Amino acid sequence: MPGNSQRKGSIRKSSKKPTAGSGGRVKRGIEGKGPTPKATDRPYHKAHKAAQAKRDGAGQGGRSSSGNRQRRKGSDSEWVAGRNSVLEALREGIPVNAVYVAEGAERDGRLREAFKLAQDKGVSLLEVSKGELDRLTSGAIHQGLAARIPPYSYAHPDDLLDLADKNREKPLIVVLDSITDPRNLGAVVRSASGFGAHGVVIPERRAAGMTASAWKTSAGAAARIPVAQTVNLVRQLKAFQDEGCMVVGLAADGDLSLPDLVADADLARGPLVVVVGAEGGGLSRLVSETCDHLVSIPMATTLESLNAGVAASVCLYAINQARS
C-alpha cells in the first residue's frame, strides 16, 4: 500500500489549529463574558437615554422644566403649488423658505405680485427647470410657481401654562380630539387667538397638523398663538388637571349647558381646558371619561352638531364674555 494512502473510515490527522467558526479558539475566547447587557443598561443606547429622561421627568413631579423642553418640529417641509396658492400664502404671512419659478414661465400679474411680495419679505426666489419643479412638487399642477413651507415648530403643552402665568391670567387652553381637517384646526386657532386662549393642543398622531392650509385658515393667528403637540391626549389632560385646571369637553349630551358653565364664576373664570371633538364622531371615549364636565351648546333647531371650528368659537366667545 502506498505510503500516503489512508484506510477508509480513518480520521485524517492535521497539525492545523482550529480556525474562527470551528468552535475551537473562538469558543474559548468568548467564555466568561456573560450575557449581553440589556439595552437600558447600555449608556449609549437610545433605550437607556429614554429611560434616563423618564426618570428625570418623574423626579420633577411630571412637569418638565422649561430648560428641558424641546419644541417639536413637523416631519417635512411642505410644498404649495400653483400661482393662486403661492400668492395667497405670501399675502397671508405664511412662513415661506423659498419661492421657485420654472424657467420660461409666463410673467402675468400674479407672478409679478408674488415676486414683489417675496422680495419685500426677504424670501429667496429661485429659478429652476420645469422638470425639476415637477420633481420637487411630486407632479402637482404648479403653473410654473411653487413655494416651500418649513416644518411647523410646535410648542410644549407646559409652555401654554407658562404663558398664562407670565400674563398673570388663569389658563384657557383649547384641546382638539380627532380633528383631521387642517381647515378646522386653522379656524380653531383663529378663534382661540381672538377670544383670549393661551394656546391650542393637538395629538401628534391621527390628527391635522399645522399645514399651509391650516395656516391660511387661521388668517395669520398661527403666528400669534402657540400650537402644542402631545403624544398621549388623555395623559396630557390629566397633567393639566394635576396643575389645577378643570377640563370640559363639548358634547351634545353634556351634563352642563354652556350658559350654566359661564354662570359658574369659579368654573368659567378659573384655569380651564376646553376639549373639542370631531364633527359627527365627537369626543373619543377615553377623552370623554377624563373630562370633569361635558358641556352642550343649546340650539334652536334639531341640528345634530356644529362644525368643530364653529363650536369652539361659540364656546370661547361665551367664556371670554364671562371673564371680561
Side-chain angles (χ1 to χ4, degrees), residues 169 172 191-198 258 261-262 268-269 272 274 312-324:
E169 298 170 341
L172 176 58
S191 296
S193 175
F195 295 125
H198 298 100
L258 184 56
L261 169 67
V262 298
R269 297 178 184 176
L272 190 62
V274 178
S313 298
V314 171
C315 184
L316 291 172
Y317 169 78
I319 293 171
N320 179 260
Q321 290 296 105
R323 290 186 168 209
S324 299

Side-chain angles (χ1 to χ4, degrees), residues 161 163-172 196-198 323:
L161 297 174
L163 178 60
D165 185 59
K166 179 182 178 181
N167 295 340
R168 297 184 178 181
E169 298 170 341
K170 299 296 184 182
L172 176 58
H198 298 100
R323 290 186 168 209

Side-chain angles (χ1 to χ4, degrees), residues 161-217:
L161 297 174
D162 289 344
L163 178 60
D165 185 59
K166 179 182 178 181
N167 295 340
R168 297 184 178 181
E169 298 170 341
K170 299 296 184 182
L172 176 58
I173 298 170
V174 183
V175 174
L176 301 185
D177 177 24
S178 305
I179 302 295
T180 56
D181 188 342
R183 292 169 297 182
N184 267 336
L185 170 58
V188 171
V189 170
R190 184 176 185 179
S191 296
S193 175
F195 295 125
H198 298 100
V200 177
V201 179
I202 61 175
E204 185 178 340
R205 300 181 183 87
R206 295 185 293 276
M210 287 304 300
T211 62
S213 178
W215 265 98
K216 178 182 174 183
T217 310

Side-chain angles (χ1 to χ4, degrees), residues 242-256:
D242 291 341
E243 293 294 329
C245 296
M246 292 293 289
V247 176
V248 300
L250 300 186
D253 56 349
D255 60 286
L256 203 64

Side-chain angles (χ1 to χ4, degrees), residues 57-203:
Q60 297 169 5
R63 182 172 175 185
S64 60
S65 65
S66 58
N68 290 334
R69 293 178 205 156
Q70 293 183 349
R71 297 177 70 89
R72 296 177 180 272
K73 285 282 188 181
S75 57
D76 296 300
S77 297
E78 184 184 358
W79 285 91
V80 176
R83 300 193 178 198
N84 288 335
S85 298
V86 172
L87 190 54
E88 288 174 1
L90 291 169
R91 286 172 176 170
E92 294 294 341
I94 295 175
V96 174
N97 278 344
V99 172
Y100 291 71
V101 60
E103 295 172 348
E106 181 185 355
R107 264 56 171 175
D108 62 2
R110 294 172 296 176
L111 208 64
R112 286 191 289 271
E113 184 179 352
F115 289 173
K116 185 177 186 308
L117 288 172
Q119 183 179 11
D120 292 345
K121 296 174 182 294
V123 176
S124 300
L125 186 61
L126 306 173
E127 187 174 36
V128 296
S129 67
K130 181 181 180 299
E132 178 66 6
L133 198 55
D134 289 340
R135 185 188 67 80
L136 291 172
T137 59
S138 301
I141 302 175
H142 51 70
Q143 300 170 305
L145 191 66
R148 181 162 54 87
I149 310 299
Y152 184 79
S153 181
Y154 292 98
H156 189 284
D158 287 347
D159 293 340
L160 313 188
L161 297 174
D162 289 344
L163 178 60
D165 185 59
K166 179 182 178 181
N167 295 340
R168 297 184 178 181
E169 298 170 341
K170 299 296 184 182
L172 176 58
I173 298 170
V174 183
V175 174
L176 301 185
D177 177 24
S178 305
I179 302 295
T180 56
D181 188 342
R183 292 169 297 182
N184 267 336
L185 170 58
V188 171
V189 170
R190 184 176 185 179
S191 296
S193 175
F195 295 125
H198 298 100
V200 177
V201 179
I202 61 175

